[in-house]
Amino acid sequence: MVDVTLAAGSFLTPCLPPNLFRSISTGKYRNRTTQIVPPTTKSRKIKTVIASSSSSSSSGSFNQTVGGQVLPERECLESFEKKSKGKQRVFFLDVNPLCYAGNKPSLQSFGHWVSLFFSQVCLTDPVIAVFDGENCNEQRRQLLPSYKAHRRKFFPRQTTSKKYVRSQVGRSQQLIMDVLRKCNVPVLKVEGNEADDVVATLVEQVLERGYRVVIASPDKDFKQLISENVQIVMPLVDLDRWSFYTLKHYIAQYNCDPHSDLSLRCIMGDEVDGVPGIQHLVPGFGRRTALKLLKKHGSLENLLNAASVRTVGKQYAQEALTKYADYLRRNYEVLALRRDVDVHLQEEWLVERDMSNDASVLSNFFRLLEETDKPTHATRSNFSNG
């Protein structure tokens, strides 16, 4: 079942604390915009780890740190703009990861990052927000029980019932959906499907219509979708801003084609998602070996097929690829983004976003969090002991 919430024309009454907004200049890529931040007098209550204001760039030019190297994003954006000249951008907002500060659920984190996203990144470009559906991990967990087994949802308490926890999760998610809806962003939640798969399915549909795509997410799973017409914009906590990640960034970081990204992760594993790599079984089989083999054979399936009929590398690598072929294919099935979710792009999702409600909606959201945060000392203690 697809749960779709479309933008509404109603909005909340403004309630703006002093100095809530400050104008910034974003150089040649943006006209004058407004950055929305929580009131400075209440900053101690924000759970997000936020860098000092001195680390922000007044020019709005982003830099992306890749493997210890700071890459000039302006050059990558100019290349992306040139190759995609005349194509309008469509943003996909991966909501769930933004609702965490570290591994702790945080509505303040969502408010902080979405306010920066609206005011500095997407502006009036179309935005489609996507949530994980109910029981979204079950299919992959049948293949691999450890898949995302450590993830915690909003505000769980060891001393409370599952019914209470579900109630808290539902209220938090509804509040977030209301904010997005009132900021004229359609919201998608497909039962039984992860947001990643919904986005991957819709990206292909958007590209077919001649648009270019920007995926707003810190999730590295989306790197397998990067191309000349698809890029990522990710929140950088240390720099307190969103930063674009392009095809050029990817090649500089991994020195291989993005099509090899999924195959590489299947071999190396993904600790964040609970997917073990082959090095747990064959310690000598590391990233260097994997990259060398993938550059020669192009994909994991090609590599495994070749290893089944001839020698493709050193003895330890050859034995690993033949002995653990099913293990690696299972990793591929778990980590590969699906493109067959039953969801269809709607024309009304591609219209220019009206941002006139952003200021009032977000300021009221921050005010609500300040009011409800006062009696939650016990909840914060449970997180720290969790």
Side-chain angles (χ1 to χ4, degrees), residues 237-289:
V237 174
D238 292 341
L239 299 179
D240 193 26
R241 67 190 184 196
W242 290 86
S243 182
F244 285 89
Y245 187 92
T246 68
L247 178 61
K248 185 174 287 189
H249 286 114
Y250 183 91
I251 294 172
Q253 182 176 8
Y254 296 108
N255 193 28
C256 68
D257 189 273
H259 293 297
S260 301
D261 178 77
L262 178 58
S263 297
L264 178 62
R265 289 177 57 226
C266 292
I267 296 173
M268 301 309 301
D270 188 329
E271 291 186 6
V272 174
D273 285 347
V275 180
I278 201 170
Q279 67 271 22
H280 294 287
L281 303 171
V282 185
F285 203 128
R287 177 178 294 271
R288 195 176 198 176
T289 300

Side-chain angles (χ1 to χ4, degrees), residues 40-56:
T40 54
T41 56
K42 299 293 184 180
S43 60
R44 64 182 180 279
K45 295 183 179 179
I46 305 273
K47 295 185 180 72
T48 315
V49 180
I50 299 176
S52 65
S53 58
S54 61
S55 66
S56 299

Side-chain angles (χ1 to χ4, degrees), residues 17 46 95 102 126 139 144 150 154 203 209-210 216 248 311 336 349 355:
I46 305 273
V95 180
Q139 188 174 8
L144 183 65
H150 63 289
F154 287 111
V203 161
R209 300 199 186 195
K248 185 174 287 189
T311 301
W349 301 347
M355 57 188 296

Side-chain angles (χ1 to χ4, degrees), residues 123-161:
L123 302 180
T124 61
D125 286 332
V127 179
I128 301 170
V130 186
F131 285 78
D132 287 333
E134 300 299 329
N135 303 314
C136 64
N137 297 325
E138 291 308 308
Q139 188 174 8
R140 287 181 169 96
R141 280 182 182 159
Q142 289 177 8
L143 296 169
L144 183 65
S146 64
Y147 178 72
K148 294 186 177 180
H150 63 289
R151 298 289 177 91
R152 292 192 294 178
K153 290 189 176 181
F154 287 111
F155 313 129
R157 298 181 182 178
Q158 295 178 354
T159 58
T160 56
S161 67

